[in-house]
Amino acid sequence: MSLFARTALTLALAFLYAPILVLVAYSFNDSKLVTVWGGFSTRWYGVLFRDGPLIASALVSLKVAVLSAAIAGVLGTCAALALDRHGRFWGRGAYTGLLYAPMVMPEVITGLSLLLLFVGIGLDRGIATLVIAHATFATGFVAVVVGARLKGLDRSLEEAAADLGAGPARVFFGITLPLIAPSVAAGFLLAFTLSLDDLVIASFVSGPGATTLPMRIYSQVRLGVNPEINAASTVLIAAVGLVVLGASWLTGRKGAMAD
């Protein structure tokens, strides 16, 4: 890489990650003032883990993320299989567009649309509406991840199993699913991450007793930033980072298996 390319890359990375590093550093600040360094301390993490409402919101986020990621994983895998295995069929373009639309649509529009839907059908807002909403916009991401694996899948293994008398269900569960399992798991982790850090859509479709962690943090930040919020944000960043690393590892494993 040239000097200009290295400099541009360094500046871009600094622009993206310097604020996050500052936030993480100040989560270990002993001072109550977030702009004044008072020495290294982990006191705010102790305060964080004794904050009942914040812990309750974190548990809600985890519950919603697991359930919505599981639903999105199943639906996204089925959608990817339909697009890959059935070639051109009537309405394929519309089906593909509807599947990927939530990925590019502004979250405000998605959240408002889902809110109007839930109000129209008389469904009370709560955990169920959060799970449905998050599964809706995460399904397309899972379909992209699984679809990429299906395009490089060796179909001869499935054809050999079918020639030996295996039915479609046995071929899928015995051959196809094990081969695409890393991509399905990576899609699940991606959907889990998207649900865990969502704020905009959750603000529209949540109800009493269904306040997620990002919503709780945002509501407290509006009253003023304190080191406890820095600590909570650091924990959230660490959780999302671990999930992303897990997804990257599974994707790399998928590539190794394909080779």
Side-chain angles (χ1 to χ4, degrees), residues 29-54:
N29 185 14
D30 187 59
S31 174
K32 292 184 178 181
L33 302 176
V34 294
T35 58
V36 178
W37 181 258
F40 182 86
S41 174
T42 58
R43 60 178 291 198
W44 298 110
Y45 287 91
V47 174
L48 169 65
F49 291 113
R50 291 192 298 269
D51 190 332
L54 206 62

Side-chain angles (χ1 to χ4, degrees), residues 235-251:
V235 171
L236 185 59
I237 291 170
V240 171
L242 289 175
V243 173
V244 171
L245 288 176
S248 300
W249 179 79
L250 288 172
T251 303

Side-chain angles (χ1 to χ4, degrees), residues 53-66 126-127 130-131 195-196 206 209-213:
L54 206 62
I55 297 301
S57 298
L59 294 177
V60 170
S61 289
L62 289 174
K63 182 187 300 184
V64 171
V66 170
I127 298 293
L130 275 171
V131 171
S195 173
L196 193 63
S206 64
T211 301
T212 62
L213 182 59

